[in-house]
Amino acid sequence: MSDCLFCKIINGDIPVTKVFEDELIIAIEDINPQAPTHLLIIPKKHIATALELSSKDRQLIGEIFLCANKLAEERKIDQSGFRIVNNCQEGAGQTVFHIHFHLLGGRPMTWPPG
Ligand code: AMP
Ligand code: ZN
């Protein structure tokens, strides 16, 4: 989508710190980190929110979680603990309407989230 921030990032139109890329996914450093590790795992396919996922996206979602595990191991937050967050809809804090998963770690996490 031409007016989507993450589609622009995926197309290379906006500079980011990319930490992983394959044919389905990119992972980047969040520009406004909320923890020592704060990565965004983003499917290349434009899907606005988790509500728009279909049965065709089953593999994609699996790949995202496997990617998160790999990145958590690389960042050495796999044993201390990490959080994978998807904000779905504005009321939950979603600001970019191209589905993405935050990978957060490197500090103690509290519950419930704000
Ligand atoms: P959400 O609020 O769940 O939709 O998450 C959107 C995330 O995108 C926020 O954590 C922002 O800090 C992050 N973000 C926005 N613009 C950029 C950018 N140009 N590069 C990297 N991260 C970004
Ligand atoms: Zn998009």
Side-chain angles (χ1 to χ4, degrees):
M1 266 181 74
S2 57
D3 62 345
C4 168
L5 175 69
F6 286 171
C7 283
K8 286 181 186 157
I9 286 173
I10 289 157
N11 289 333
D13 298 336
I14 295 172
V16 289
T17 305
K18 208 182 286 182
V19 298
F20 175 80
E21 180 167 17
D22 67 11
E23 68 280 4
L24 293 175
I25 295 167
I26 66 163
I28 65 172
E29 298 277 359
D30 196 290
I31 204 170
N32 182 23
Q34 301 301 313
T37 290
H38 187 173
L39 304 177
L40 298 175
I41 304 170
I42 310 170
K44 290 185 172 177
K45 177 181 175 185
H46 181 89
I47 300 167
T49 78
L51 286 170
E52 273 76 52
L53 287 165
S54 77
S55 56
K56 286 183 190 152
D57 302 314
R58 286 176 200 275
Q59 190 205 342
L60 180 61
I61 296 306
E63 295 292 340
I64 284 167
F65 274 74
L66 293 176
C67 177
N69 283 351
K70 192 168 145 289
L71 292 169
E73 284 166 19
E74 270 177 34
R75 298 290 171 125
K76 305 202 184 320
I77 57 169
D78 53 320
Q79 296 306 313
S80 53
F82 58 92
R83 195 170 281 177
I84 299 168
V85 174
N86 168 250
N87 296 323
C88 182
Q89 306 279 44
E90 216 171 300
Q94 186 173 5
T95 58
V96 179
F97 285 79
H98 177 133
I99 194 171
H100 53 281
F101 295 80
H102 300 256
L103 173 63
L104 297 144
R107 65 165 170 81
M109 299 280 165
T110 59
W111 194 263

